[in-house]
Amino acid sequence: MAKIQSSIYGVFFVFSVILNLYCFINLHYVGGGVGGKGKQLSWTQKAAEEAEAVAAVSCSGHGRAYLDGFSVDGKPICECNTCFGGPDCSAILPCFGDPLFLEPFWMEHAASSALVVVGWHRMSYTFNDHSFISRNLENHIRKYTPLPRTLLQMEVYALSPENSSSPARVVASIPYFPLYGTQTDYFNSVNFEFEGDASSWMNTTSSDSSSNVIEFVTSPNNPDGLLKKPTIQGSTVKAIYDHAYYWPHFTPIPAPADGDLMIFTISKLTGHAGSRFGWAVVKDEGVYQRMMTYMSLSEMGVSRDTQLRALKLLKAVVQEGNGKEIFDFAYKTMRNRWEKLRQVISMSKRFSIEESPPQFCIFSQKVRGSTPAYAWVKCERKEDKDCTAVLRAANIIGREGSRFAAGDCHVRLSLLKSQDDFDQLIHRLSNLISEEDGTSKLCEEDHNNQHFVDYYKYYCCI
Amino acid sequence: MAKIQSSIYGVFFVFSVILNLYCFINLHYVGGGVGGKGKQLSWTQKAAEEAEAVAAVSCSGHGRAYLDGFSVDGKPICECNTCFGGPDCSAILPCFGDPLFLEPFWMEHAASSALVVVGWHRMSYTFNDHSFISRNLENHIRKYTPLPRTLLQMEVYALSPENSSSPARVVASIPYFPLYGTQTDYFNSVNFEFEGDASSWMNTTSSDSSSNVIEFVTSPNNPDGLLKKPTIQGSTVKAIYDHAYYWPHFTPIPAPADGDLMIFTISKLTGHAGSRFGWAVVKDEGVYQRMMTYMSLSEMGVSRDTQLRALKLLKAVVQEGNGKEIFDFAYKTMRNRWEKLRQVISMSKRFSIEESPPQFCIFSQKVRGSTPAYAWVKCERKEDKDCTAVLRAANIIGREGSRFAAGDCHVRLSLLKSQDDFDQLIHRLSNLISEEDGTSKLCEEDHNNQHFVDYYKYYCCI
């Protein structure tokens, strides 16, 4: 009896010791990593728990809670995708659409993109080398734009002549991003003036070969997605290439970007519009120095918090799938959306979309079509002079053509929305197109000369 | 014998079970908190480990490693306080001094100020209410500046008249922060012009009562720490109060700030100069709207990453000691530094410092002296016309008086350095003063009229 009892004790004892061993390993396991148990944490534990708690809030799959959002009774509140509303984001609303097409990528890669910022991170005005720019971040950016001189800056203020008696003339070609004009006009500088459309300005009396000209070349263009070249040539002409959309998920990349002054942003690369982070590639030493002066006078560089975040995101981009995964994800998303959109529009005689021909892409090493960030939609009927209103009546919200210096038979629709909001767009557009009848007169029937075709391209039915 | 063996088994078994119980509680303890074991983490674990590893790097107590710094062989490299150098920050160097006086506060409160930012945090252009400003952050800011309308903005661009035929005249009173002039001149706007010293401009022919005037009133002043009021009065005069230093650790607060347009920053409140984050309090609806237009045209608001960080810091400030601890820490630090500096300067006939009289402080509810961010030092000897050079020869680096539109017998020394760098300053200043002899002629001996006293106050020996 005693022997049996002793054996039972023995079995329990061995089991208990094994359990002790397991516990010990668990408590002191040093490997870390997602899913497994990591090192025991000290001062980061609370912040990590808070972040995970907010991330775990479910909003019917149509929204998310944020760490800096409000709480009700200690529970973080849902912030819904724009086409959805209500406390749990289950109600459907008319909507514009936030540019969240890459959010699922980052949700999937929460671990590689998570970042702990401590209270004492980078409190100083400058980095250790007395600059306003993180050299580590600059190195990462150079992986995407391997060119001579890189400058980080939220916006380029101006590229204006020194010691000139007349202001530089700032132009762009229609349709153009409206901010160029409003920004240039607003700052009301003695050094430059906005003149609007490049071609039209060339034909005015105020243009002559001695004028200093700054041309904004947005390529791919916002709103129509076309690859662009400068309209005006000459020794006194400087082009600012806005390459916000020059990424392989939006356009075939025919050649590496190589302008003298080019602007990039993470907004359309990683999808982080809210970070307001961009950089410029500048070849001319003098222009670079003037931009550095501007930066030191305006804001003493980009917030170190933003730079830290941009670095973490770019590191995550490089880490996932050897830097290709985000481009694959983004391209597949855009291609899928364009396929759906083209399919719907092909059923319509009332609406058309601007398309550019397929080109060879050095990134994917094949000929491929364009999948721009926006659809530049046109209402083809004579009576649909206000295309935005036509779409708005069907709960589709776009930007009027006149905001891009084109006619209001054009509307820009964003395809960078969350999947939710995009699905709503397609659904509403399908419904609208299914109600079409063929009785209205189409605009093309009036065309009979080249001038009209040009006019029609940017403007509308007359 | 079997009984003894059984008893021994029993004791071990009970011990083992207790150990298992301990392990179980440890592994599944749900309370969290610093020092104790927290919840098991998933996607935040790796980021938390990385942050703790970087924070644990020792740099001889004279520096720290950052998450976005470089690594050598996987080990993050030290970034030293400016008076120190070498791989482990043990070498002493000539130095300027980073404004890190509050770094020890944040090192002590690492847990309450730590923040996890996930990849999908705030990717959109706008917050949920279509604004560029986190309402939660705004609510926290209102705790410090409980006034009608608050606007977050890195800098105020201008406060210029609408539809006026002549530009607004921008002035400040000597000695003033040099950025006002260089910034206003650089942007070269049609709407405003920098005119320099307010009093001098009042005496020129270009001033008349109909001129639109914008006066920068920095209070406490940079560089001399004095509380200031506008120099020019009138219906066409608008004052921009730069209240960057209007915190109880720098000055007695005689009354709540109540200007029509006031600028604040966390740079001198929490010590985070690198975050480039500030806000303005604006009473006039029209001015507020113009500033909103500026913001939407320039940068579409402050980076969401920076706003998230500012919110976390302000929350931590409120949390620690009911919002008083940071002010206590900062005031004690500044008072201690001023005591040491006054003691050293009191041994000198060669150097003097600008001092303002004690005042009643509504924050501490007692009469107290000023403890400004900078010492406005003056060289009193006729031959020390370049005071900056005198100090630089003793390895003390300050900013020349001429950079504040004053004479070069003045130097601004920063007292916001790290403790390390401040100790070096005192040490070097003591050495310099201990070498003084009394043979040089002092400047005061020449003074004999009021005009000269005024001149002498801002300028130098003649």
Side-chain angles (χ1 to χ4, degrees), chain B residues 181-259:
Chain B
T182 40
Q183 208 173 50
T184 311
D185 284 346
Y186 181 85
F187 290 112
N188 205 1
S189 173
V190 174
N191 300 358
F192 44 81
E193 268 174 22
F194 189 66
E195 299 282 355
D197 184 46
S199 310
S200 309
W201 180 75
M202 284 291 282
N203 297 327
T204 63
T205 49
S206 60
S207 70
D208 64 66
S209 62
S210 69
S211 296
N212 285 297
V213 178
I214 296 169
E215 182 172 353
F216 278 110
V217 182
T218 314
S219 183
N221 195 30
N222 174 2
D224 61 12
L226 303 181
L227 289 168
K228 300 279 282 271
K229 292 200 181 304
T231 305
I232 309 177
Q233 305 288 338
S235 59
T236 57
V237 182
K238 288 170 186 162
I240 297 177
Y241 288 85
D242 185 340
H243 280 329
Y245 303 91
Y246 202 69
W247 301 110
H249 36 283
F250 296 128
T251 176
I253 305 289
D258 192 32

Side-chain angles (χ1 to χ4, degrees), chain A residues 2-13:
Chain A
K3 240 186 179 153
I4 294 170
Q5 199 183 13
S6 173
S7 293
I8 293 170
Y9 268 137
V11 169
F12 274 113
F13 181 62

